[in-house]
Amino acid sequence: YTVRGKGSDYFKINKDTGLLTTATYIDRELFSEYDLTVTVADQEHLEWYCQVRVVIDIEDVNDNEPIFDVNQSAVSVREDAPINSIITKVDAQDLDLGLNSLL
């Protein structure tokens, strides 16, 4: 058995059983999908082989903390500003998806 394709080094295959497993930590924010080709060949006749395409979709987990768009913000406000005066707006984001990205 062999595994080929972009990101195939993130996976390993047991040459006796064909069991495909992760070989290292996977991060959905780096790659959300892996499109691999698994090949198996006859030990006596290497020209006898077959291939199968394996597409792996990586599900998101809540593994990113929110971050502000800027590191710091300096603003001024008058000391006689009325109550509820808008001072500034800060924005943050979370690289996770769906419900995991809610702030």
Side-chain angles (χ1 to χ4, degrees):
Y1 291 93
T2 60
V3 180
R4 289 195 167 77
K6 184 176 180 183
S8 61
D9 50 329
Y10 286 86
F11 303 93
K12 60 184 176 182
I13 192 160
N14 183 300
K15 294 190 184 295
D16 296 321
T17 65
L19 189 64
L20 183 67
T21 58
T22 55
T24 186
Y25 176 75
I26 295 174
D27 188 355
R28 190 219 42 93
E29 285 74 30
L30 295 177
F31 298 105
S32 60
E33 180 183 275
Y34 295 86
D35 191 347
L36 307 174
T37 300
V38 177
T39 304
V40 61
D42 185 271
Q43 288 185 1
E44 271 188 52
H45 304 280
L46 295 180
E47 65 276 8
W48 295 352
Y49 69 93
C50 62
Q51 294 179 325
V52 65
R53 180 179 178 205
V54 178
V55 178
I56 303 168
D57 290 317
I58 306 302
E59 295 180 2
D60 189 42
V61 295
N62 195 2
D63 61 342
N64 288 290
E65 59 188 40
I67 55 172
F68 282 106
D69 292 339
V70 294
N71 289 336
Q72 66 181 19
S73 179
V75 297
S76 298
V77 62
R78 292 174 48 105
E79 67 179 310
D80 62 348
I83 294 174
N84 292 326
S85 293
I86 296 174
I87 306 300
T88 190
K89 182 177 185 317
V90 294
D91 288 312
Q93 62 179 334
D94 188 315
L95 296 177
D96 292 312
L97 290 178
L99 294 176
N100 292 332
S101 68
L102 297 178
L103 302 177

